[in-house]
Amino acid sequence: MESSFFLEALVKGDSKTITEIYNTSFVQVKRFITQNKGNSEDAEDIFQKALLQLGVRYKREKFTIKSSFEAYLFTVCKNLWRRELNKHKNRVTNSEVVELVSEPKDNSLALIEQKRQELFLEKLNDISENCKKVLSLFFAKVSYAEIVVETEYNSETVVRQRVFKCKKRLTELVRNDARYQSLKEL
Amino acid sequence: MNLEEDILIERFLRKELSEEEKKAFLKRLDIDVEFKESFLLEKELYESLNDKDWSYANNVDPKELEAYEVVFQNEETKKLQEKIGKASREYQKKGKNNVVRLYTIISAVAAVFLLFFTFNFLNADIDNAELYASYVQKEELPSYVTRGDSDADTKILLAAEKSFKGKEYKETLEVLEHVNINNDATLLLYKGISYIELGNYEKGITTFDILIKSDLIDAEKGYWYKSLLYVKSNQFDKAEKTLKKIIANNYFKKKQAEELLSKIKK
C-alpha cells in the first residue's frame, strides 16, 4: 500500500488504519527499544509520538516517503529513541535547555531535528561513493589511523585532506539547499 | 574555512582542546559569525550522522518552530492524539487478554479433565468417550484469529482452527497436512486432539511425541495430553508411566498428574 495512504489516514484520524499500523509495526519497534535500554512503556510512548509527528508533518506539508511506510516509521521511532537516550548529555552540555519545555514545543523540536537529519542523509547520498565511505567512517568516530586501514589511502595526512574536501562538498550541498535555512541552528 | 580551522573545530567536538584553547575557541564563536556558522553545521553533521548521538534543535528559526507548535496544539491534532492513545490501549489490552485467555484455557481444560476423571472413576460404567465429548471444551484452545497478519500460512492456520472448533476433525487434519506444524505447539495439540476425537490413538501418540521431542517451550505439554489419551483409550499402564514422568520431572500439570495418578491406582 502507498505510504501516502497511511499518512492521509493519520491526518484524518482513521482509527481502523491506526490499529492496523499498530498490528504491523509495533512489535518491531518494541523489540528495538527493549533491546536498547528501554522498556515496554518507553516503546508505547515513542510509537505514539512518532505517529503524531507523522500526522502533524503531513498536515503541514505533503511530504513523500521514499521507503515503505513501515520502514520509515521505524526510522522515526529509532531517532526519537536516540533523542531520549541522549537527552541527559544534551542537558549537561547546553545549559539553555535545562528549562522545562512544553510538550508541543518538544514535539516540534523533535520534528525539526528529524527533518534536519533526513536532509543530511539525502546530501550524503548525493556526494561521490568514495566521499560517502570516508565521511561515514569519520562521523562514526573512526580514527584517522583506522580509516587508513579501511580505505586505499596510504597515510593519515592524505585521509585528513580527503575528509576535509568531502566535508566541504557535503556542507556546500547542505548550505545551498533552501530547506536548511529553516532547520539550522542560529 | 581552511583545513586549520576545520581541524580546530574537530578537536573541539572531540573534546581535545586544552582549557586555554577552549576559551579562545568560544570567544571566537562570539565574534566571528562565519566561523560560528561553520562550527554549528559541523556539529549538526557530527551528531546527526553518528548512531550513538543525536543533534538537538536548541536554537532554530522561531517562526518555523512556532508554525509546528500551532499544528501540534490544534483541535484536530488533539483528536488524533486521543485516537492514537485509544489504539495503543486497545492493542496493549489485546496482548494482555491473550495471556489471560491462555491461562483461562489451560485452567479450564485442566478442570474439565479433572472433572471427567473424577466422574469416570466414581461411575465406572459410564463411557469414557461420551464423558470426554461432554467436557473437553476444545473451543477454548489458543486462537490464531488475533495474530493480525494475513499471509498464506496464517490463512491455513485460521482454516485449521475453524475446522477444529467446528468439530470437523477430519477436515482439521486435512488442512494441517499442507503446512509444517512441527514448530507450533498449539497446532500439534489441535492435531493430536483431532486424532483422539477420531479414535486414531496411534497417530495421536505420534503427534504428541513430535511435540515432546521438539525444542519448543511447550514441548512438555505433550506428556500431559498423551497421558490423557492413554486414559481415554483405557491404556492405564501407559498412562501411569507417563504421569509418573510428569511428576518426576516437574513438568506441565504436575499437580493434576499426581491427582490423576492416585485415581488410576485406586
Side-chain angles (χ1 to χ4, degrees):
Chain A
M1 212 172 298
E2 286 285 320
S3 295
S4 57
F5 168 81
F6 294 102
L7 294 168
E8 292 280 359
L10 285 170
V11 172
K12 281 187 238 156
D14 171 2
S15 297
K16 205 179 146 199
T17 308
I18 296 172
T19 302
E20 199 184 318
I21 296 171
Y22 265 94
N23 288 336
T24 50
S25 299
F26 183 73
V27 173
Q28 196 194 2
V29 172
K30 187 177 163 184
R31 195 180 305 130
F32 171 77
I33 290 177
T34 52
Q35 283 171 358
N36 286 282
K37 302 177 188 166
N39 58 33
S40 304
E41 285 76 36
D42 295 323
E44 280 167 39
D45 191 40
I46 292 292
F47 201 76
Q48 290 192 33
K49 275 189 180 167
L51 291 179
L52 195 68
Q53 182 187 107
L54 297 191
V56 165
R57 184 168 167 191
Y58 199 68
K59 196 179 282 184
R60 186 157 179 251
E61 61 217 24
K62 296 284 174 276
F63 69 106
T64 49
I65 293 173
K66 284 171 191 157
S67 60
S68 70
F69 177 79
E70 208 175 320
Y72 183 74
L73 176 62
F74 182 72
T75 305
V76 172
C77 289
K78 206 170 142 184
N79 286 339
L80 283 172
W81 186 236
R82 268 170 75 184
R83 191 175 190 265
E84 278 306 310
L85 289 179
N86 281 289
K87 256 185 179 167
H88 175 68
K89 212 182 343 175
N90 186 51
R91 283 199 185 109
V92 173
T93 52
N94 298 279
S95 52
E96 69 265 33
V97 294
V98 170
E99 58 175 292
L100 211 61
V101 177
S102 72
E103 202 184 311
K105 188 177 176 184
D106 194 49
N107 286 337
S108 305
L109 289 168
L111 202 162
I112 289 172
E113 290 156 13
Q114 173 65 32
K115 282 178 70 176
R116 191 157 76 188
Q117 209 230 10
E118 283 171 24
L119 177 71
F120 290 166
L121 285 175
E122 187 188 310
K123 298 304 171 194
L124 189 66
N125 275 318
D126 286 346
I127 58 176
S128 71
E129 271 308 309
N130 175 287
C131 267
K132 197 176 150 186
K133 188 181 175 187
V134 172
L135 286 187
S136 299
L137 291 167
F138 171 78
F139 287 123
K141 293 183 181 168
V142 176
S143 71
Y144 285 114
E146 283 169 292
I147 298 179
V148 173
V149 179
E150 293 272 331
T151 57
E152 73 275 23
Y153 302 110
N154 42 31
S155 78
E156 284 186 36
T157 317
V158 180
V159 170
R160 198 177 272 276
Q161 277 166 350
R162 190 71 196 144
V163 167
F164 177 67
K165 279 185 184 164
C166 292
K167 225 160 37 175
K168 205 169 174 189
R169 177 81 190 115
L170 177 66
T171 52
E172 263 169 19
L173 286 176
V174 172
R175 278 184 220 261
N176 291 338
D177 193 303
R179 289 172 290 173
Y180 182 59
Q181 293 311 310
S182 59
L183 303 172
K184 68 176 184 182
E185 292 294 306
L186 301 171
Chain B
M1 190 174 56
N2 59 38
L3 181 61
E4 213 171 279
E5 287 172 325
D6 186 69
I7 293 172
L8 184 66
I9 290 174
E10 195 188 308
R11 285 184 59 219
F12 176 84
L13 291 171
R14 294 192 180 198
K15 297 185 174 70
E16 288 169 4
L17 295 185
S18 68
E19 273 309 306
E20 210 164 303
E21 285 172 318
K22 200 176 152 190
K23 224 170 157 184
F25 184 91
L26 294 171
K27 200 175 173 189
R28 189 170 171 192
L29 284 183
D30 274 343
I31 51 170
D32 189 339
V33 180
E34 210 181 311
F35 183 71
K36 190 185 175 186
E37 263 189 29
S38 299
F39 162 71
L40 288 172
L41 176 51
E42 175 100 19
K43 184 173 182 275
E44 288 161 22
L45 287 167
Y46 200 75
E47 291 169 343
S48 278
L49 300 175
N50 183 323
D51 272 355
K52 289 185 184 113
D53 282 330
W54 183 249
S55 174
Y56 291 86
N58 290 312
N59 184 25
V60 288
D61 181 2
K63 277 186 198 159
E64 184 73 3
L65 186 62
E66 212 185 300
Y68 281 119
E69 274 188 80
V70 169
V71 188
F72 267 109
Q73 286 178 94
N74 74 20
E75 278 311 306
E76 273 178 54
T77 306
K78 279 181 189 162
K79 273 183 198 158
L80 172 62
Q81 196 166 12
E82 278 165 24
K83 284 186 179 172
I84 293 170
K86 199 176 161 212
S88 173
R89 284 191 297 279
E90 276 168 10
Y91 181 84
Q92 310 309 334
K93 206 172 133 193
K94 198 174 81 184
K96 278 174 195 151
N97 279 352
N98 282 348
V99 175
V100 172
R101 225 174 114 204
L102 189 64
Y103 282 119
T104 315
I105 292 158
I106 292 167
S107 316
V109 170
V112 163
F113 276 113
L114 200 62
L115 190 61
F116 157 58
F117 289 113
T118 313
F119 201 52
N120 194 23
F121 287 101
L122 289 175
N123 303 274
D125 293 339
I126 291 176
D127 180 60
N128 285 1
E130 197 180 302
L131 268 175
Y132 176 86
S134 315
Y135 292 101
V136 72
Q137 292 186 9
K138 296 172 296 289
E139 70 280 1
E140 289 185 353
L141 273 165
S143 170
Y144 288 90
V145 176
T146 53
R147 276 196 177 181
D149 41 15
S150 58
D151 54 38
D153 277 354
T154 309
K155 278 179 187 156
I156 293 174
L157 305 183
L158 289 173
E161 184 182 341
K162 200 180 164 196
S163 305
F164 184 79
K165 293 192 172 166
K167 298 182 182 175
E168 291 160 339
Y169 304 110
K170 228 172 139 182
E171 284 76 4
T172 308
L173 294 173
E174 274 168 18
V175 172
L176 291 178
E177 251 176 51
H178 302 296
V179 54
N180 178 14
I181 64 164
N182 293 354
N183 55 2
D184 191 315
T186 305
L187 288 182
L188 285 167
L189 291 179
Y190 279 1
K191 193 175 181 180
I193 294 172
S194 293
Y195 280 129
I196 301 178
E197 291 291 333
L198 296 170
N200 195 338
Y201 300 120
E202 280 309 308
K203 283 199 171 172
I205 292 166
T206 313
T207 308
F208 293 132
D209 280 342
I210 291 171
L211 178 59
I212 289 166
K213 283 174 194 157
S214 76
D215 53 8
L216 295 167
I217 296 170
D218 289 336
E220 60 190 60
K221 285 185 184 173
Y223 288 107
W224 172 245
Y225 290 98
K226 199 169 146 185
S227 68
L228 297 177
L229 178 148
Y230 285 138
V231 173
K232 184 170 182 284
S233 56
N234 292 318
Q235 301 180 67
F236 293 109
D237 288 347
K238 285 182 180 173
E240 191 181 322
K241 219 173 139 187
T242 312
L243 289 168
K244 279 183 177 166
K245 194 159 190 164
I246 295 172
I247 297 160
N249 292 291
N250 198 13
Y251 284 156
F252 176 71
K253 296 285 175 204
K254 186 199 171 199
K255 228 174 167 181
Q256 287 83 349
E258 281 168 347
E259 287 166 1
L260 186 53
L261 184 66
S262 69
K263 280 167 185 161
I264 288 177
K265 280 182 160 179
K266 266 183 190 173

